Amino acid sequence: MDIQIDHGPAYSLAVCKLAQGDSIRAESGAMVSQTANLRMETSGKVGKGGLLKGLARKMLTGESFFMNVFHAESGAGEVNLAPANVGDITQHALDGELFIQSSCYLASHTGIDIQTKVGGFKNWFGGKGFFMIKASGTGPLLLSAFGAIHEMDLTAPFIIDTGHIVAFEPTLNFKIKRVGGWFSTFFSGEGFVCEFSGTGKLWIQTRNPSEFGNKVGPKLPPM
C-alpha cells in the first residue's frame, strides 16, 4: 500500500494506492473517489469494539459509527480520501497504540484495531462531543485536523486546550483542568485544558472546530 498526501495543508487529499490483496478502513463519508474494481464493505463492527461500542460512540457524539473497508481483490486499485473539515492530513506508521480524538481519525490499514474508548476518560476531556478512540496494531494510519497538524515530542509537562488535541501516545499521562474559576470558564473564552506529563508524541490541530462553529454559526442564515 502506498499513500500520498496531496493539496495540503488546507484541502488535503489522501491518495491511497492499493496492491492486489490490500485493504484500507476509512471513516464513513471519507471516500472522494475510487477505481471501479475496488470492493467496498460497510460495517458497524469495527475491530474488537464491536457493534455495542460503536452504538455507544454514536449516542455520545452524534457521529456515525459505521466505517467503510475498501478491498483490492481483483487487481491493484486506488481510493482517494478526505475529511469533512478543512485542514491537513498526516500519515503515521503505527507500531503499538495511539489515542485519537474521534473526529480526527480518517483511515487505517485493516491490520489496525480500532476501539471506542468509553472507559478511562472520566472527564471526556471537558468538551462537548469530544470522544477518544484507541488504535492498536501495526501499519499506516491517517489522522486529519481542522487547520494544520503540529507534531510535538513532549519531555516536560505541557498544557493544551482540549479542542486542539488530535492524538497522543499512551506513554503520556494526562489530567483535565478547568481554566480558573467558573467565571473565567464562561467569560474568558477558555474552558478546559489538558495537562500532559511523561514522554511521548502529541499531535495538535491549529484550529478549534467548536470555537469556529461558535463564531460562524450566528452569522449563517436561518434554515
Side-chain angles (χ1 to χ4, degrees):
M1 184 184 303
D2 178 68
I3 301 175
Q4 179 178 323
I5 310 300
D6 291 339
H7 311 297
Y11 298 97
S12 296
L13 179 75
V15 180
C16 308
K17 299 182 183 297
L18 309 183
Q20 183 168 355
D22 280 345
S23 298
I24 189 169
R25 178 187 294 120
E27 181 74 351
S28 176
M31 191 272 286
V32 175
S33 61
Q34 66 167 85
T35 52
N37 65 314
L38 294 184
R39 179 175 68 87
M40 188 185 79
E41 172 189 17
T42 301
S43 174
K45 295 183 178 181
V46 180
K48 298 177 182 176
L51 184 60
L52 291 178
K53 290 289 184 69
L55 285 171
R57 175 182 170 189
K58 180 176 177 63
M59 288 187 292
L60 288 165
T61 69
E63 296 179 26
S64 170
F65 66 89
F66 290 102
M67 291 193 182
N68 296 324
V69 183
F70 300 89
H71 302 277
E73 296 174 335
S74 58
E78 178 179 307
V79 58
N80 297 322
L81 305 171
N85 283 332
V86 175
D88 209 356
I89 300 171
T90 189
Q91 181 179 178
H92 175 60
L94 183 66
D95 186 13
E97 295 182 346
L98 194 68
F99 291 116
I100 308 166
Q101 203 249 103
S102 60
S103 64
C104 294
Y105 170 84
L106 182 63
S108 59
H109 188 274
T110 50
I112 293 175
D113 180 54
I114 302 297
Q115 298 182 53
T116 306
K117 186 65 178 176
V118 176
F121 293 89
K122 296 180 182 179
N123 291 286
W124 305 105
F125 280 79
K128 180 181 177 182
F130 195 98
F131 203 64
M132 301 300 294
I133 61 177
K134 183 173 75 171
S136 57
T138 303
L141 171 69
L142 294 177
L143 303 173
S144 65
F146 185 44
I149 296 178
H150 181 52
E151 180 180 327
M152 306 180 69
D153 288 299
L154 300 187
T155 58
F158 187 78
I159 294 175
I160 178 174
D161 183 288
T162 55
H164 289 271
I165 298 172
V166 172
F168 59 91
E169 293 182 328
T171 53
L172 291 172
N173 302 310
F174 68 89
K175 59 182 178 181
I176 305 300
K177 302 194 303 185
R178 194 173 68 244
V179 177
W182 285 111
F183 183 87
S184 297
T185 298
F186 284 113
F187 296 105
S188 70
E190 304 296 337
F192 291 90
V193 297
C194 183
E195 182 175 346
F196 285 100
S197 60
T199 302
K201 288 186 179 295
L202 168 69
W203 289 261
I204 67 176
Q205 54 190 1
T206 59
R207 297 293 181 270
N208 185 324
S210 295
E211 291 301 319
F212 180 78
N214 291 337
K215 292 286 187 183
V216 174
K219 296 180 172 60
L220 297 178
M223 297 296 289

